[in-house]
């Protein structure tokens, strides 16, 4: 297994790709569709690595994958969305690389909601779910200096502003 992970890292670190660390457990097909929708930077495409395949130093950007395919996102209640678990997953993955909360530069984290219906990234949210995710974003910002974003274009803009990727885009 160690050789496979090393091979994946070498593949993802090619000069024509950017490494996207994925926090969560997306299916391969769903992840592929999501990657196809992400904006390219300098003509470079995104290559995803899961938590067990990466070293934090090789990751250019991060995505938090929330699989909502098991329930109707527009009608989800608080019991179905475990925000505390999402926070713990992000903390485990990003604590070694986040800047102190006093730092002006926060780490942009793309929130990707997969409703398994083609509405990747922007499915409708019930008010209770939207509040929970807003609270998650506030908590991540306060304690980890991580900015949770739903819009891929805004996420890319924040990556450029933070200096994690170059300003030229393709």
């Amino acid at each position: 297994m160690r050789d496979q992970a090393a091979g994946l890292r070498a593949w993802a670190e090619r000069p024509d790709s950017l490494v996207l660390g994925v926090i969560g457990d997306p299916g391969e097909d769903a992840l592929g569709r999501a990657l196809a929708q992400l904006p390219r930077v300098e003509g470079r495409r995104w290559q995803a690595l899961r938590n067990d395949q990466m070293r934090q130093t090789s990751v250019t950007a991060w995505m938090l994958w929330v699989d909502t395919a098991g329930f109707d996102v527009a009608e989800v209640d608080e019991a179905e969305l475990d925000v505390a678990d999402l926070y713990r997953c992000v903390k485990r993955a990003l604590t070694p690389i986040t800047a102190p909360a006093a730092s002006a530069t926060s780490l942009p984290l793309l929130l990707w909601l997969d409703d398994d219906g083609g509405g990747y990234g922007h499915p409708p949210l019930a008010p209770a779910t939207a509040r929970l995710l807003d609270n998650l974003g506030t908590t991540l910002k306060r304690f980890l200096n991580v900015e949770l974003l739903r819009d891929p274009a805004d996420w890319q803009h924040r990556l450029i502003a933070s200096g994690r990727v170059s300003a030229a885009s393709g």
Side-chain angles (χ1 to χ4, degrees), residues 59-136:
V59 175
T60 304
W62 293 87
M63 171 191 282
L64 174 60
W65 188 275
V66 179
D67 184 6
T68 60
F71 52 88
D72 183 358
V73 179
E75 298 175 7
V76 67
D77 64 19
E78 295 180 21
E80 294 180 281
L81 186 64
D82 189 350
V83 175
D85 185 53
L86 293 174
Y87 175 80
R88 286 187 295 272
C89 289
V90 171
K91 184 176 180 179
R92 273 193 304 272
L94 299 182
T95 295
I97 61 167
T98 56
S103 170
T105 305
S106 58
L107 179 70
L109 174 63
L110 179 61
L111 173 62
W112 198 267
L113 302 176
D114 176 18
D115 69 357
D116 201 28
Y120 298 98
H122 297 288
L125 293 174
T129 303
R131 280 191 306 275
L132 287 171
L133 291 172
D134 286 344
N135 289 344
L136 174 62

Side-chain angles (χ1 to χ4, degrees), residues 14-39:
R14 296 180 318 190
D16 66 335
S17 67
L18 298 166
V19 180
L20 178 67
V22 178
I23 303 168
D25 192 26
E28 290 299 321
D29 291 342
L31 182 58
R33 288 189 299 270
L35 290 175
Q37 293 182 33
L38 292 180

